[in-house]
Amino acid sequence: MTASMLLAMLAAVLAAVVLYSFIGFIPGTDETSVLAPVTLTVVLAGAPPQVVLSFFIAAIVTLNLMNAIPTALVGLPGGVMSAPLMEHAVLLRSRGLAATTIRKMAVGSAIGTVVSIPLAFVLAGLLAPIAEPIKAQAPVILAAGAVLLALLGHNRVLSLLAIVPLALMFSALPALYRSTGIIGEDTSVNISFFLGITVGPMLITLLELLNRNRRAHLPHGTLTEARFSRSGFTSTELRPHRLVTRSEGWWSAAMAALSTPLFVLSPVGLTFLLGESAAARATKGPVQRAERAVTVMSSLTHSTYLAGVIIPLVALGIPISGVSAGPAGPLFEAAPVYTLDHNLHHLLSTPQFITAVTLGALIAVAITYVIAVRWSSPITHFVMRRIPHEAVLSLFVVLILVLAYIDAGVPNMFGVLLVGIVCGTLNRLGVSYGVQFMTLYAAPGIISALAALA
């Protein structure tokens, strides 16, 4: 690897850390909707594969920690992955321990990153020899993944029922485009639909503002009040062993290791399940349970995401986990640059994977650790006062519309609107992102199976 490539990777990592540090401090930003469009833009801009991968790894490491900080400081969930921490973070905040919570989260994130990366590469190496048989059964695996994620979701019955209608929609729109000459026979618009899914819940919220009755019931004339503790602005301790107990450290490492082989499952579900299991074994009262929970869950948010990207990407080259089918989707398919037959899996060797992942993760976790421990309170205070939430969300909506236009012109902008409305509504009713993304990739196999039954 040349020095110029390493410098480009380093620049990409630093850019990801800076960008997602500020995005992560904004409450309510969903991981998928802020990771996927920017990653896709980096891919379509022509960045080398190593640069794309190091950027994405640094982005998820940064975002997963920074998203948890508004939860600890002001009781507002930063993103979906910070939702499992809410109850425990609010309890600690009520006891005046918000700054302590952030420091434990920072240590947990570092533990999860360091533990999961080598384990993920080992598991990828074990899966690689049987990759071809697995890929040959990809349609079945993807459909089974959608069913599994549906069974693990909040609304199991609706999630199962939604799979076939969603598959029909994802297949029908491209067929319509091809039959009318909007796109060629070999052109895919999966990325547009992928982005339509990510923006769905946000789109539904925006469209509700057009309904007079809905708008009238929204809060009016009040501002959200946020209080910060003074210790968050003054403490300078950085040593991990002073910030977490030995048991918190060991539980974080153990749960990160346990979650890595379960990479196909929902990262939110794993974070909640394994984090609560670890916290339940704390016997010295609610504060100790909450402190262990936030430490272990922060470790899990990183380990589940990293394993969900690394193992499918290195071993298979197809998205078979919730993370790989969701936020990491552009690493697998970003036409015309990447396709399922020509993506990072095919372009990078194992040493190149290890270098890009290690560089992105370790630099990002080192920088975000320091930021979280020393400057999280001042940065949160600045972001909440100076950066309009609406401006950030509008930026991502506009970016998605531009990418939809590039894929298939004006008709596809309305196609993405349709996908966003349908998927956003289903998301609100309990059909998770994971089910929707898996169904998108499984749609051709599902439709072929239905045709065989006709």
Side-chain angles (χ1 to χ4, degrees):
M1 188 175 294
T2 64
S4 61
M5 180 59 70
L6 283 173
L7 287 175
M9 292 165 63
L10 178 60
V13 169
L14 295 177
V17 170
V18 172
L19 175 62
Y20 286 101
S21 289
F22 281 100
I23 291 176
F25 278 103
I26 300 172
T29 50
D30 175 73
E31 291 86 357
T32 302
S33 63
V34 299
L35 280 169
V38 176
T39 305
L40 178 60
T41 303
V42 173
V43 172
L44 297 181
Q50 298 99 311
V51 174
V52 172
L53 183 57
S54 57
F55 174 89
F56 184 80
I57 294 297
I60 60 175
V61 169
T62 302
L63 186 65
N64 276 336
L65 175 56
M66 295 308 174
N67 258 344
I69 290 174
T71 308
L73 284 177
V74 295
L76 297 173
V80 175
M81 289 302 295
S82 61
L85 290 82
M86 269 292 294
E87 179 182 351
H88 304 287
V90 169
L91 171 65
L92 294 172
R93 178 170 165 262
S94 68
R95 305 294 178 90
L97 298 172
T100 301
T101 302
I102 293 170
R103 295 182 182 104
K104 289 183 181 293
M105 289 175 175
V107 177
S109 70
I111 293 172
T113 301
V114 171
V115 169
S116 65
I117 288 176
L119 281 178
F121 276 110
V122 170
L123 287 171
L126 295 174
L127 282 176
I130 58 172
E132 290 307 317
I134 293 175
K135 290 166 71 173
Q137 298 298 319
V140 176
I141 293 172
L142 292 171
V147 171
L148 178 61
L149 291 174
L151 293 174
L152 294 172
H154 296 298
N155 192 334
R156 296 178 180 86
V157 175
L158 179 59
S159 297
L160 289 170
L161 290 175
I163 290 174
V164 172
L166 283 173
L168 288 169
M169 180 180 69
F170 293 142
S171 298
L173 279 174
L176 176 63
Y177 293 166
R178 294 186 183 102
S179 67
T180 54
I182 295 172
I183 61 174
E185 288 297 324
D186 298 327
T187 304
S188 171
V189 291
N190 268 6
I191 281 296
S192 294
F193 295 168
F194 173 89
L195 295 175
I197 296 171
T198 69
V199 81
M202 186 196 320
L203 180 63
I204 293 296
T205 300
L206 293 174
L207 292 176
E208 279 184 337
L209 298 177
L210 302 177
N211 183 299
R212 181 180 300 175
N213 293 332
R214 291 272 189 176
R215 194 167 62 245
H217 286 87
L218 292 174
H220 290 81
T222 58
L223 296 175
T224 301
E225 185 176 282
R227 297 180 181 273
F228 297 84
S229 63
R230 185 174 298 276
S231 61
F233 293 83
T234 57
S235 179
T236 59
E237 180 62 70
L238 282 175
R239 290 169 289 183
H241 65 279
R242 295 288 186 91
L243 303 177
V244 300
T245 65
R246 180 174 295 182
S247 67
E248 288 167 351
W250 280 112
W251 274 107
S252 297
M255 290 303 176
L258 178 60
S259 69
T260 301
L262 305 176
F263 67 95
V264 297
L265 302 180
S266 163
V268 179
L270 281 175
T271 298
F272 182 83
L273 178 64
L274 298 181
E276 291 293 348
S277 297
R281 286 160 176 76
T283 58
K284 295 182 180 178
V287 171
Q288 188 203 39
R289 283 196 295 273
E291 288 180 336
R292 180 181 291 182
V294 297
T295 309
V296 174
M297 287 180 177
S298 294
S299 174
L300 285 165
T301 59
H302 286 69
S303 64
T304 53
Y305 253 66
L306 288 167
V309 175
I310 294 170
I311 298 173
L313 198 59
V314 174
L316 304 171
I318 58 174
I320 61 169
S321 68
V323 178
S324 61
L331 303 182
F332 295 86
E333 186 175 18
V337 181
Y338 298 150
T339 67
L340 293 180
D341 297 318
H342 178 78
N343 54 41
L344 297 186
H345 171 76
H346 310 90
L347 297 172
L348 297 180
S349 65
T350 300
Q352 288 174 321
F353 271 116
I354 293 173
T355 301
V357 170
T358 303
L359 182 72
L362 294 186
I363 292 177
V365 81
I367 296 174
T368 54
Y369 178 86
V370 175
I371 291 173
V373 171
R374 289 200 171 174
W375 297 306
S376 56
S377 292
I379 293 175
T380 302
H381 185 263
F382 171 80
V383 168
M384 294 191 69
R385 285 179 60 87
R386 302 296 181 188
I387 299 181
H389 191 186
E390 296 85 352
V392 176
L393 299 182
S394 299
L395 173 64
F396 287 110
V397 171
V398 170
L399 178 59
I400 288 169
L401 289 175
V402 170
L403 294 170
Y405 178 82
I406 291 172
D407 266 357
V410 174
N412 194 44
M413 296 173 71
F414 289 96
V416 169
L417 178 65
L418 172 63
V419 171
I421 291 172
V422 172
C423 293
T425 303
L426 288 174
N427 190 289
R428 283 200 173 185
L429 295 174
V431 182
S432 69
Y433 273 134
V435 174
Q436 296 177 27
F437 287 128
M438 280 294 187
T439 303
L440 172 63
Y441 287 107
I446 293 173
I447 299 304
S448 298
L450 289 176
L453 296 175

